[in-house]
Amino acid sequence: MRVLVDTCVIIDALQSRAPFSEVAQKLFIYSANKQFEGYITAKSVTDIYYLTHRLTHNDVETRKILSKLFTLFHLLDTTSLDCRKAISSEIGDYEDAIMVETAIRSEMDCIVTRNVKDYMKSSVKVCEPSALLKLLEEENETIISITEKGDGELTYADFCGCGCLSGGGHSGKNSTEVSDSGDTSVRYQSYTDFRLQRGSGRRSRGRCSGL
């Protein structure tokens, strides 16, 4: 499943923003373990840098955080065509409209955001982080259950939920176990396994659109 992750969800995880951080950080784990294909837009990276730098007050450290983030999520370019199409979009917020146009062009299955109400007119499916997490956890439990029974290969077509799940088969291994490089198998079990935020600072709260 190809999921475009909104900036607010990324910041929730990086800055441990209560009460949203727990779900956001679990989504980081699922993305790290390749249980869904997570994407962020190139346009959002500067916002992530700015908001993170406000906490770290350190350019080098902030760039390290971005570097780690890029290992967890793919980057989608925002094109001039996305910007032009967003002009005539029915979505009121222009920035959100651009994100939807990028998702359409890149064939995303869904957008995950806390700001669902502002995407009501999106032609791409939109869900809250908790809804996506629930779907992934249910999918993971089903995969483990069937794998233990030895019922053979699974595909994402066996499931339905947030977005149109489609894609290749499953290897039959526990889905939290993935190959990182070469023959080395890596299993991420907690957010601290790849903690992105190191410095201390004030933890912020806020709604999605205001970050």
Side-chain angles (χ1 to χ4, degrees):
M1 175 168 56
R2 294 159 60 86
V3 179
L4 183 54
V5 183
D6 198 4
T7 304
C8 60
V9 180
I10 299 295
I11 297 300
D12 286 345
L14 294 182
Q15 296 189 5
S16 298
R17 295 200 296 197
F20 315 110
S21 58
E22 182 178 358
V23 170
Q25 290 172 1
K26 285 182 178 179
L27 290 178
F28 269 49
I29 296 170
Y30 274 87
S31 181
N33 289 323
K34 312 301 181 186
Q35 291 175 268
F36 73 95
E37 291 184 52
Y39 292 81
I40 57 176
T41 65
K43 179 180 177 298
S44 72
V45 171
T46 52
D47 293 332
I48 295 170
Y49 172 88
Y50 171 74
L51 292 168
T52 303
H53 189 270
R54 279 173 48 180
L55 188 69
T56 64
H57 303 289
N58 186 306
D59 177 69
V60 173
E61 185 62 31
T62 303
R63 288 175 187 243
K64 287 181 180 179
I65 290 172
L66 285 182
S67 180
K68 291 182 180 181
L69 188 67
F70 295 161
T71 68
L72 300 181
F73 299 95
H74 304 286
L75 281 173
L76 291 180
D77 289 332
T78 299
T79 68
S80 59
L81 182 60
D82 298 336
C83 297
R84 291 178 184 276
K85 285 188 172 183
I87 290 289
S88 58
S89 172
E90 294 184 356
I91 297 174
D93 185 280
Y94 183 62
E95 187 174 5
D96 294 341
I98 291 176
M99 186 171 181
V100 170
E101 293 300 331
T102 301
I104 293 171
R105 177 179 52 80
S106 304
E107 299 182 340
M108 294 292 104
D109 293 313
C110 73
I111 295 171
V112 60
T113 179
R114 283 195 283 106
N115 198 25
V116 173
K117 63 181 180 62
D118 283 353
Y119 289 86
M120 295 298 291
K121 295 184 178 181
S122 171
S123 59
V124 178
K125 291 182 181 294
V126 179
C127 66
E128 295 182 349
S130 58
L132 176 61
L133 179 62
K134 181 179 179 181
L135 172 68
L136 293 170
E137 289 177 339
E138 290 175 350
E139 176 186 328
N140 189 45
E141 289 175 1
T142 304
I143 288 174
I144 293 174
S145 175
I146 296 179
T147 300
E148 289 174 348
K149 293 178 182 178
D151 289 341
E153 185 177 71
L154 296 178
T155 68
Y156 276 122
D158 295 319
F159 307 94
C160 63
C162 172
C164 300
L165 295 178
S166 61
H170 188 269
S171 66
K173 296 164 65 177
N174 186 315
S175 60
T176 59
E177 190 173 300
V178 297
S179 177
D180 183 41
S181 61
D183 295 327
T184 303
S185 185
V186 177
R187 182 172 179 171
Y188 296 99
Q189 296 179 321
S190 71
Y191 181 72
T192 54
D193 289 346
F194 48 85
R195 185 180 297 277
L196 301 184
Q197 179 187 343
R198 295 186 195 173
S200 61
R202 180 183 240 174
R203 294 179 180 176
S204 59
R205 301 180 63 168
R207 55 187 299 275
C208 196
S209 59
L211 297 176

